[in-house]
Amino acid sequence: MENYILEACVDSVESALAAQNGGASRIELCGSLIIGGTTPSPCLFQEIREHSDICTHILIRPRFGDFCYTDYEFRIIRREVRNFRKLGANGVVIGILKPDGTLNMEQMKALMEEAGDMSVTLHRAFDVCADPLEAMEQAKELGIATILTSGQKNYCLEGKDMLKKLVEREEGKITIQVGSGVDADTIRRIQPYTGAHAFHMSGKQNLESRMVYRKEGVSMGVASISEFEIIRTQEEKIRQACQVLESL
């Protein structure tokens, strides 16, 4: 397949470099991927820029949880979009819903103005909206370039019918980017069915902490999550996904 997009979702310099070396088209830079991703530190973005020129889109999400934000949170989101534009990010990944599950068009329009000439992706807030087809048309109206979606299911293979329907409605105005559970095998199975040409994956692996001394019974966060496992993107997983896309 020509002109495919493989985006790697990363939250570290090490993962960004692995994604680039594996052949990713671009990265979505986040913080705290283990909870689905939050807005990354500007310093993380700057450190990556010192070592890589890979196209970088920034997730703007102030907290874990739903996508219905307070006025304080919206002001933070707006400021983050503005700041990352000034820092030279290629794009931002955003999404705000109203309590009734529709896109908050007023706030999204304000964010589009802040984004200026950056590329904009509507993130998986789309997957919990009330009417995905209506939201897709609204995204086109806003001038959003990409919708990241699993077809409103936990995993993209479960949402393949919706993904196919969405891809058929791109009309050259927007790109459906398939996410959640994506790897080389998933792409091989879902691409011919949906016709999608853009995919989003973390390619993650769990690495053991370098810590030798390990204090027992003290947790810095969720007790079920080990403090001594580090999640990183695996270069080979990205490479394998690229190879599948090139072969289709």
Side-chain angles (χ1 to χ4, degrees):
M1 183 186 354
E2 296 181 358
N3 301 320
Y4 68 80
I5 297 169
L6 182 65
E7 179 179 84
C9 190
V10 307
D11 64 359
S12 68
V13 180
E14 293 85 354
S15 290
L17 296 178
Q20 181 175 29
N21 293 338
S25 312
R26 66 179 181 232
I27 59 172
E28 179 191 283
L29 184 61
C30 313
S32 305
L33 268 179
I34 200 166
I35 57 170
T38 54
T39 307
S41 160
C43 292
L44 173 58
F45 170 70
Q46 291 171 313
E47 184 68 17
I48 289 171
R49 270 290 181 260
E50 291 183 12
H51 302 281
S52 170
D53 61 357
I54 191 169
C55 179
T56 302
H57 291 186
I58 309 293
L59 175 66
I60 308 295
R61 185 185 181 208
R63 57 163 172 78
F64 170 80
D66 66 36
F67 304 103
C68 184
Y69 296 111
T70 67
D71 290 342
Y72 300 117
E73 290 170 330
F74 174 66
R75 284 195 288 270
I76 291 168
I77 292 169
R78 190 169 184 171
R79 189 174 293 122
E80 295 279 25
V81 172
R82 185 184 312 142
N83 288 345
F84 276 107
R85 181 185 179 192
K86 290 178 181 177
L87 286 173
N90 302 103
V92 287
V93 184
I94 57 177
I96 302 180
L97 300 179
K98 291 182 177 180
D100 64 0
T102 60
L103 275 183
N104 189 320
M105 291 294 283
E106 181 180 354
Q107 292 185 344
M108 289 295 292
K109 285 177 183 177
L111 296 183
M112 293 298 294
E113 290 175 4
E114 294 289 357
D117 58 359
M118 287 193 295
S119 178
V120 176
T121 297
L122 172 59
H123 60 45
R124 291 189 65 214
F126 180 85
D127 282 331
V128 292
C129 74
D131 186 337
L133 300 183
E134 178 186 36
M136 184 178 188
E137 293 307 311
Q138 290 176 321
K140 291 177 185 176
E141 178 186 330
L142 288 165
I144 287 171
T146 304
I147 296 174
L148 173 61
T149 174
S150 58
Q152 294 210 312
K153 299 291 185 180
N154 280 331
Y155 301 103
C156 62
L157 283 171
E158 297 172 352
K160 65 179 183 178
D161 291 335
M162 175 58 72
L163 289 168
K164 178 178 171 61
K165 188 179 295 187
L166 294 169
V167 170
E168 290 171 348
R169 286 166 170 75
E170 287 181 340
E171 299 173 335
K173 299 176 182 178
I174 201 164
T175 295
I176 295 299
Q177 181 169 258
V178 178
S180 189
V182 171
D183 59 16
D185 182 60
T186 303
I187 293 170
R188 189 180 292 108
R189 295 166 63 188
I190 201 171
Q191 194 284 326
Y193 182 79
T194 63
H197 67 276
F199 295 85
H200 169 99
M201 64 181 288
S202 64
K204 61 179 178 292
Q205 60 179 333
N206 291 337
L207 302 177
E208 276 290 306
S209 165
R210 294 185 298 141
M211 287 294 297
V212 176
Y213 175 74
R214 301 189 177 191
K215 182 71 174 179
E216 298 294 332
V218 179
S219 176
M220 297 295 109
V222 180
S224 62
I225 300 175
S226 172
E227 307 288 348
F228 301 108
E229 285 188 358
I230 309 297
I231 296 176
R232 291 280 187 265
T233 295
Q234 186 176 8
E235 179 180 326
E236 184 58 24
K237 289 184 178 181
I238 302 297
R239 183 175 293 109
Q240 289 170 357
C242 288
Q243 290 170 346
V244 170
L245 284 164
E246 288 166 3
S247 71
L248 290 170

